[in-house]
Amino acid sequence: MTTETRTDTSKVVIFAVFSRIVSLVLQAVCNLLIPDHEPDAFQPPRLSKHSKFDTVVEALFGGLSRWDSEHFLFIAEHGYVFEHNFAFFPLLPLSLRAVASSLYWPLGGWLNFRSCLLLSTVVINSVLFVLNTVTLFKLSRLVLQDRLLAYYSSLLYSITPANVFMVVAYSESLFAFLSFAAMLQLEKKKITLSCVLFALATATRSNGIVNAGFLGYSQLQNCIQHLGVTRRNKNTSKLLPCVGISAWFLLLVLVGTAVILLPFGLFQYYGYKVFCNPTRRIEDLPLALIKLSNRKGYRLPDVSQELPAWCFYHWPLLYSYIQDVYWNVGFLRYYKLRQVPNFLLGLPIIVLGTQAAWRYFRTKPSFCLQLGLVRRDEMIDNTHNDGKIKANKLAQGFFSARVFVYLVHGTLLLMFGIFCMHVQVTTRFLASSSPILYWYCTQLLWDNEPLLNLESKEKQTPLSVKQQTHDKRPGSFKICPLLWKVVPRNPLTELLVNWKQTNLVTKCILGYFVSYWVLGLLLHCNFLPWT
């Protein structure tokens, strides 16, 4: 690791830690000052005793337990009790319970288990978020082949528009870490470790099954490469080696895909056993949970009741049934006039994702039509600036060949979010599953922001150095000394401090990131509607 890389990594870590501290403080302040909305959401009764220390924990971190967080915390404390709890995959609840149990052992005399779960949420998500920024930085360096673009992408991740879901008891931070780490290992050709991490991601969120496409695509590329080498070898027979190579890569893909999909299948089988082969009576549950079930119509596993209808489906997938019945998720079901505000909430990520796919295709149409299976980074499929474009522009950055599979993955997720999900959820859905948002926004800043590109010969100079050499230019940075005593200094914060001098594109991108970063904490932590 070079000195520059170590410096960038340390700055990324410092900014990520700063981001977590500010997020936790802001959610506590918002939760204390703004009255909670009373939504029609899952709010299970508190079954454990409550002390004055629990009141303090609730006051500081109660904002972390809103909306779907209640499901994760409830599952971590009581297990999968209600039918619709099975919409939430088990790895995060298991992780929360493991850390909370460790905390409960010394703190059990002062705090109840739910308070320990809230503390474990802070620990797990904060640590994972910092690890995510470093992992994204390493992944970006390999894929983008540009240290500065990787550095800026990681800084952007620290102010992600899905920030609130990286703080509260949601699975976004865990899923992002496992997905990015698996992608990184796959780029390093560590297939086994990558498959294990992808499998853990599937145990965290259902869309983890889509990650199997990365394995299939990478092995298809490797297979084509090996077949090409074999065909060029004139001293051996061509047919048998080609068949053997193809069979080996096919077997590798099948086994790896099975590993990645296994957690999803096991979880669905567990749900089938609980509700379609129940072994306990409803009377065995706490009375408060039975009353909640009767009042809200939540289904409980009960040996004395009729089996649910989905048990008799040809493919009895509980997850699909829950999404259909409880959340009304399906193709174009969300396309109603009253949902226009939610479409507006999801509009920025839709515009950015669509524009990213279109610009990449327009820049390298031949490469895209070949599905990126022949890597020719020096190939120029289109020209800009009157043909004055160099090959290395397409070999590095967002338009490099390695980005193709990530762009396809991100575009598929985006299309699914637009047509089959609650559209406002697309923001956190894509921001926690794909690095494309951060790579493309970084490329936009790099291409359009004069303060990041004062002169073409300085393209490999960090912004802080550029400032020292151009501090006499009109419109140069005017750093506020007091602000830099609190906020870590990096290119992103310099742009934010010098907001008035930035380009319109910069204002739009950073305005989107920061506004969603703040509004998410303000609204979500008080049970108000958000993405």
Side-chain angles (χ1 to χ4, degrees), residues 468-484:
Q468 296 172 9
T469 58
H470 295 272
D471 54 359
K472 296 181 180 180
R473 289 189 177 190
S476 64
F477 296 112
K478 298 177 181 179
I479 305 301
C480 174
L482 180 61
L483 186 63
W484 291 124

Side-chain angles (χ1 to χ4, degrees), residues 68 322-336 338-339 342-343 345-346 349-350 414 416-429 530-531:
D68 289 349
I322 293 171
Q323 293 294 331
D324 178 28
V325 174
Y326 287 89
W327 276 274
N328 193 33
V329 172
F331 184 67
L332 297 183
R333 290 190 185 181
Y334 211 58
Y335 281 67
K336 299 177 181 178
R338 68 173 183 270
Q339 301 298 347
N342 289 322
F343 274 83
L345 279 176
I349 192 71
I350 293 173
L414 179 64
F416 183 79
I418 293 173
F419 295 111
C420 300
M421 294 174 59
H422 296 181
V423 176
Q424 73 273 19
V425 178
T426 305
T427 301
R428 59 184 171 97
F429 181 61
W530 187 237
T531 63

Side-chain angles (χ1 to χ4, degrees), residues 197-208:
L197 291 170
F198 275 139
L200 292 174
T202 304
T204 306
R205 293 182 62 87
S206 62
N207 58 298

Side-chain angles (χ1 to χ4, degrees), residues 99-110:
V99 176
S101 297
S102 302
L103 294 174
Y104 189 72
W105 180 72
L107 301 177
W110 293 278

Side-chain angles (χ1 to χ4, degrees), residues 218-257:
S218 67
Q219 296 314 301
L220 181 58
Q221 281 187 321
N222 290 339
C223 181
I224 292 174
Q225 181 181 359
H226 280 77
L227 289 175
V229 172
T230 301
R231 287 171 182 164
R232 288 193 295 269
N233 190 345
K234 299 180 180 180
N235 298 324
T236 61
S237 173
K238 295 182 179 180
L239 181 60
L240 289 179
C242 289
V243 172
I245 290 172
S246 301
W248 166 251
F249 281 108
L250 178 60
L251 178 62
L252 186 62
V253 170
L254 291 177
V255 173
T257 301

Side-chain angles (χ1 to χ4, degrees), residues 98-301:
V99 176
S101 297
S102 302
L103 294 174
Y104 189 72
W105 180 72
L107 301 177
W110 293 278
L111 299 176
N112 60 30
F113 194 70
R114 176 181 168 81
S115 296
C116 291
L117 286 171
L118 285 176
L119 293 177
S120 68
T121 299
V122 175
V123 172
I124 290 175
N125 282 348
S126 298
V127 172
L128 285 176
F129 189 88
V130 175
L131 292 176
N132 283 345
T133 57
V134 177
T135 304
L136 180 60
F137 175 67
K138 293 179 179 179
L139 175 65
S140 302
R141 285 219 59 184
L142 284 177
V143 176
L144 302 181
Q145 296 292 301
D146 188 296
R147 180 183 61 83
L148 287 181
L149 291 179
Y151 175 44
Y152 298 155
S153 298
S154 301
L155 293 177
L156 273 180
Y157 180 82
S158 293
I159 57 168
T160 172
N163 174 62
V164 66
F165 303 102
M166 306 290 187
V167 180
V168 299
Y170 273 53
S171 57
E172 269 70 11
S173 277
L174 179 58
F175 184 79
F177 170 70
L178 293 170
S179 297
F180 293 167
M183 295 170 188
L184 175 62
Q185 297 307 317
L186 192 60
E187 289 287 343
K188 293 181 177 180
K189 309 300 182 183
K190 298 181 180 179
I191 308 299
T192 302
L193 181 55
S194 176
C195 288
V196 171
L197 291 170
F198 275 139
L200 292 174
T202 304
T204 306
R205 293 182 62 87
S206 62
N207 58 298
I209 61 178
V210 182
N211 290 331
F214 284 104
L215 175 66
Y217 184 81
S218 67
Q219 296 314 301
L220 181 58
Q221 281 187 321
N222 290 339
C223 181
I224 292 174
Q225 181 181 359
H226 280 77
L227 289 175
V229 172
T230 301
R231 287 171 182 164
R232 288 193 295 269
N233 190 345
K234 299 180 180 180
N235 298 324
T236 61
S237 173
K238 295 182 179 180
L239 181 60
L240 289 179
C242 289
V243 172
I245 290 172
S246 301
W248 166 251
F249 281 108
L250 178 60
L251 178 62
L252 186 62
V253 170
L254 291 177
V255 173
T257 301
V259 171
I260 295 172
L261 301 184
L262 182 61
F264 181 87
L266 290 177
F267 187 54
Q268 297 311 299
Y269 178 73
Y270 173 63
Y272 180 86
K273 293 289 291 184
V274 168
F275 283 94
C276 301
N277 292 299
T279 58
R280 65 181 179 184
R281 294 183 176 274
I282 194 172
E283 292 81 5
D284 299 333
L285 295 172
L287 182 60
L289 297 183
I290 297 174
K291 290 182 178 179
L292 177 65
S293 172
N294 294 333
R295 187 172 70 253
K296 292 289 189 177
Y298 299 153
R299 184 187 295 277
L300 292 166

